Amino acid sequence: MLVLITYDVNTTTPEGKRRLRTVAKKCVAHGTRVQNSVFECILDNTQLKLLRHDLEQTIDTSCDSLRIYVLGNSYQGKVTHIGAKETYELEGNLIL
């Protein structure tokens, strides 16, 4: 299923900057960055629960925020891309 993860981490302290890097690395490991703090991830229920738990343990809920949107398996008609960045097929073949 397609999951959209967004976050805002307070980076006014060195600890905040460290949390930001950690959250970004965890999201990069599970999906594709589509904007600075926005990731599209193809996950199953177990992967989502594990990632959510990891992210919840990483952020400071008193000053950071995390939003998770579950768009499901029929997401193709729910996502519209407009603008400069090239769109890509989330579940298509990837050639390196």
Side-chain angles (χ1 to χ4, degrees):
M1 71 184 137
L2 178 63
V3 178
L4 187 71
I5 298 175
T6 68
Y7 56 85
D8 187 19
V9 176
N10 183 327
T11 58
T12 57
T13 64
E15 294 82 18
K17 291 176 183 176
R18 200 170 9 255
R19 284 194 315 274
L20 177 66
R21 285 190 302 274
T22 303
V23 168
K25 285 180 184 179
K26 289 176 188 282
C27 289
V28 164
H30 289 87
T32 302
R33 184 188 301 261
V34 292
Q35 292 188 359
N36 285 339
S37 296
V38 180
F39 286 81
E40 290 178 348
C41 307
I42 299 293
L43 304 170
D44 61 30
N45 283 327
T46 303
Q47 292 169 322
L48 175 57
K49 286 178 184 177
L50 290 172
L51 178 57
R52 178 180 170 166
H53 177 75
D54 285 349
L55 293 173
E56 286 177 6
Q57 297 302 308
T58 302
I59 67 169
D60 179 348
T61 57
S62 69
C63 58
D64 303 336
S65 66
L66 176 67
R67 295 180 67 93
I68 299 172
Y69 301 87
V70 179
L71 298 175
N73 291 319
S74 301
Y75 62 86
Q76 288 82 0
K78 298 176 184 175
V79 178
T80 303
H81 174 84
I82 301 168
K85 287 188 178 179
E86 217 175 289
T87 190
Y88 57 94
E89 184 66 32
L90 287 170
E91 296 182 285
N93 295 329
L94 179 64
I95 300 173
L96 300 175

